Amino acid sequence: MSSRRDFIKKAAATTAGVSMALKASSYNRIIGANDRVNLCFMGLGRRVGAYYDGLDKKNNTQLMYLCDVKQSQIDRTMERLKGRIDYKPKQTDDIRKVLEDKEVDAIFIAAPDHWHAPGTIMALDAGKHVYVEKPCAHNPHEEEVMVAKQKSTGKMVQMGNQQRSSNHTIEIINEIHNGVIGKPYRAVAFYNSSRGEVPLQKKQAPPSDLNWDLFQGPAPRQAYHHDTWDYNWHWYGWNWGTAEAGNNGIHELDIGRWALGVDFPEFVHVEASKQHFKDDGWEMYDQMYATFRFDEGKVINWDGKSRNGYSTYGDGKGRGTVIYGSEGTVFVDRSQYMLYDREGKLVKESSKTDESGMALGGGGSTSSQHIVNFFDAIRGQAKLTAPIEDGAKSNHMAMLANIAYRTNKSFDVDSTTGRAYDKDAMQLWSREYESGWEIGQMR
């Protein structure tokens, strides 16, 4: 009897142990599932490739949807995802269908500029977190609504100014703030490229696999013109794009603002014009020199040359930011920084990274870090490195520059709100929307 009782006790203990192990295993699976971030990629053009590393298993993510208004973009992305994921995401051309799915946690928005703010606001209303590429908004009014919406929902919104997650940039900005170049007083943000001639717009039927109505989304309806869906929508007027200041300038303006420790400017002045291929389809400026004045005499300049590849700020340097201080100077771009003393002698430089600076779409380790930071913030494990409340201020500089160009006026700005003290500038604070797509009334 004693042996039998011992056997029963041991058997019970073993069963309990197995049961506890099974429960723990099941619990771990549940925790893993709950920790998973379910994603949608919206806009599958050149930038989407920078998101692929976010699908690494270590990030515990699942790509539930691919969303694009052109089927060939979806097909191409599916092909390039082979070997990265072992499942098939759902496909749609309508982001509204994705937002109805309660299983989706976060939306990555890399659609054309005019979709960034409306897509973000719709996603926040649907309870989703958002990673939105620059420009985060097409106009200042959209910025204001986005920031307010994020605050009211409490969801994470990361702007795609990935250099905020760059280790070498964080390092040198911290050193600047600690006085390594004395008092920083000026930053010059620059971009120079040799973009070529752009075809004149020619009316034609849209591609058979393009949902032209959804491409336009919040923008007023118009007839389709040749290849508008592709990259040239950037330059075909203000219906879609935000010119080079919005397309590339925000990245470097953001670094300048970060380095100088400023928010909204007090004054904006621009010199901008179209100087290359005068009779082609490019409808906005292709060179701009903008000046933003801040308090304490601080200044940020934007030197954007879309179609002149001359390296003004150093051989081979197509983009970057130069920060001047009372005791030295810093050059920093996506790949490295260089620190100079007041005499112009190189004192220190960082090793180079693999983040792409000039290639269309970009991508690299810094983009991946920026995306991981977004996931960590969703899980409550980190703070966003580029929260929309801050990112929108850098976006705002580009919007102010575009408004100054379009009104052909310099103007003062309320440095606490970012609003212009100029009635003509305020006329361009928002835009015309397609009926039913107005901010706050979107379908």
Side-chain angles (χ1 to χ4, degrees):
M1 290 296 293
S2 176
S3 297
R4 186 171 181 273
R5 282 195 296 268
D6 289 343
F7 174 78
I8 292 170
K9 286 179 181 179
K10 289 177 181 178
T14 302
T15 302
V18 171
S19 177
M20 288 297 291
L22 289 171
K23 286 180 180 178
S25 176
S26 300
Y27 180 74
N28 287 335
R29 285 199 298 273
I30 292 169
I31 290 296
N34 288 342
D35 192 49
R36 182 177 298 129
V37 181
N38 292 324
L39 309 175
C40 167
F41 292 164
M42 175 192 178
L44 307 177
R46 293 165 177 83
R47 184 59 181 164
V48 71
Y51 303 156
Y52 294 164
D53 282 350
L55 301 176
D56 190 287
K57 289 183 179 179
K58 66 185 178 184
N59 293 320
N60 196 13
T61 57
Q62 178 174 292
L63 181 59
M64 291 188 67
Y65 287 90
L66 292 173
C67 179
D68 197 281
V69 296
K70 198 168 193 297
Q71 184 61 43
S72 62
Q73 299 281 75
I74 295 176
D75 296 341
R76 183 190 65 173
T77 304
M78 283 296 303
E79 185 65 26
R80 292 180 177 178
L81 285 172
K82 287 181 178 178
R84 287 184 176 269
I85 57 176
D86 56 4
Y87 55 89
K88 187 175 181 180
K90 298 175 185 178
Q91 304 176 9
T92 182
D93 60 1
D94 193 339
I95 190 62
R96 294 169 295 186
K97 295 178 181 177
V98 176
L99 298 180
E100 291 172 356
D101 190 334
K102 297 186 184 301
E103 295 299 312
V104 175
D105 299 305
I107 311 294
F108 279 69
I109 300 178
D113 296 359
H114 68 291
W115 256 108
H116 288 190
T120 298
I121 293 164
M122 293 168 71
L124 289 172
D125 280 336
K128 316 301 183 187
H129 304 283
V130 182
Y131 183 107
V132 58
E133 292 295 346
K134 53 78 222 162
C136 67
H138 187 269
N139 56 71
H141 172 65
E142 291 182 348
E143 298 166 351
E144 294 169 343
V145 175
M146 289 174 76
V147 171
K149 184 69 69 173
Q150 186 281 319
K151 288 181 179 179
S152 68
T153 62
K155 294 298 179 180
M156 298 295 162
V157 181
Q158 177 98 303
M159 194 166 95
N161 44 334
Q162 65 269 21
Q163 206 170 333
R164 286 278 178 152
S165 292
S166 158
N167 292 334
H168 72 271
T169 306
I170 293 170
E171 177 184 319
I172 194 60
I173 294 295
N174 285 337
E175 289 195 35
I176 290 171
H177 291 171
N178 289 329
V180 72
I181 58 171
K183 180 183 178 180
Y185 59 86
R186 180 185 294 272
V188 179
F190 69 90
Y191 175 85
N192 43 266
S193 181
S194 53
R195 301 185 191 279
E197 188 172 2
V198 169
L200 292 167
Q201 292 194 59
K202 181 180 179 182
K203 285 186 179 181
Q204 66 175 50
S208 59
D209 68 336
L210 173 68
N211 188 328
W212 176 231
D213 185 66
L214 278 179
F215 176 97
Q216 296 178 89
R221 297 299 178 263
Q222 66 179 53
Y224 184 77
H225 291 75
H226 172 71
D227 270 359
T228 295
W229 75 270
D230 205 356
Y231 197 78
N232 284 337
W233 57 261
H234 281 289
W235 326 119
Y236 286 164
W238 299 99
N239 218 26
W240 329 111
T242 52
E244 201 71 87
N247 184 42
N248 272 301
I250 294 169
H251 284 294
E252 278 68 41
L253 288 168
D254 182 62
I255 300 303
R257 194 177 63 79
W258 188 13
L260 267 57
V262 294
D263 291 321
F264 295 119
E266 297 178 334
F267 177 80
V268 179
H269 170 76
V270 304
E271 299 168 36
S273 57
K274 178 181 175 180
Q275 293 294 337
H276 307 276
F277 307 105
K278 287 279 195 174
D279 297 322
D280 76 346
W282 192 293
E283 296 186 5
M284 44 194 52
Y285 61 85
D286 56 16
Q287 64 84 32
M288 173 184 277
Y289 195 87
T291 299
F292 305 87
R293 289 207 308 255
F294 298 83
D295 61 4
E296 299 183 1
K298 295 179 179 180
V299 173
I300 296 177
N301 297 113
W302 159 242
D303 187 355
K305 298 187 291 290
S306 300
R307 303 204 275 187
N308 185 328
Y310 178 69
S311 298
T312 306
Y313 302 93
D315 186 36
K317 291 181 171 59
R319 68 187 311 160
T321 311
V322 182
I323 301 109
Y324 298 94
S326 58
E327 302 300 328
T329 304
V330 164
F331 165 81
V332 60
D333 65 7
R334 296 182 184 184
S335 65
Q336 70 172 152
Y337 71 76
M338 298 177 179
L339 170 63
Y340 300 85
D341 64 18
R342 193 170 55 81
E343 284 71 37
K345 178 183 176 182
L346 180 64
V347 176
K348 181 181 178 182
E349 63 181 315
S350 66
S351 57
K352 292 188 176 182
T353 73
D354 64 352
E355 182 71 13
S356 177
M358 298 300 293
L360 290 180
S365 58
T366 300
S367 288
S368 298
Q369 288 172 213
H370 204 50
I371 290 167
V372 170
N373 171 254
F374 176 56
F375 296 149
D376 288 344
I378 290 173
R379 296 183 174 112
Q381 299 169 354
K383 291 183 178 180
L384 290 175
T385 55
I388 193 62
E389 183 177 10
D390 188 70
K393 294 174 182 175
S394 298
N395 192 92
H396 195 63
M397 294 177 70
M399 301 301 102
L400 291 175
N402 285 341
I403 289 173
Y405 163 73
R406 294 173 69 184
T407 60
N408 195 29
K409 295 174 71 175
S410 304
F411 49 82
D412 294 318
V413 178
D414 184 335
S415 62
T416 60
T417 66
R419 293 204 150 213
Y421 289 121
D422 183 273
K423 64 179 183 180
D424 293 327
M426 293 305 295
Q427 288 294 313
L428 294 174
W429 212 248
S430 186
R431 66 166 298 167
E432 181 184 353
Y433 294 92
E434 177 67 10
S435 178
W437 288 87
E438 295 87 349
I439 296 296
Q441 304 177 35
M442 291 178 293
R443 300 171 183 180

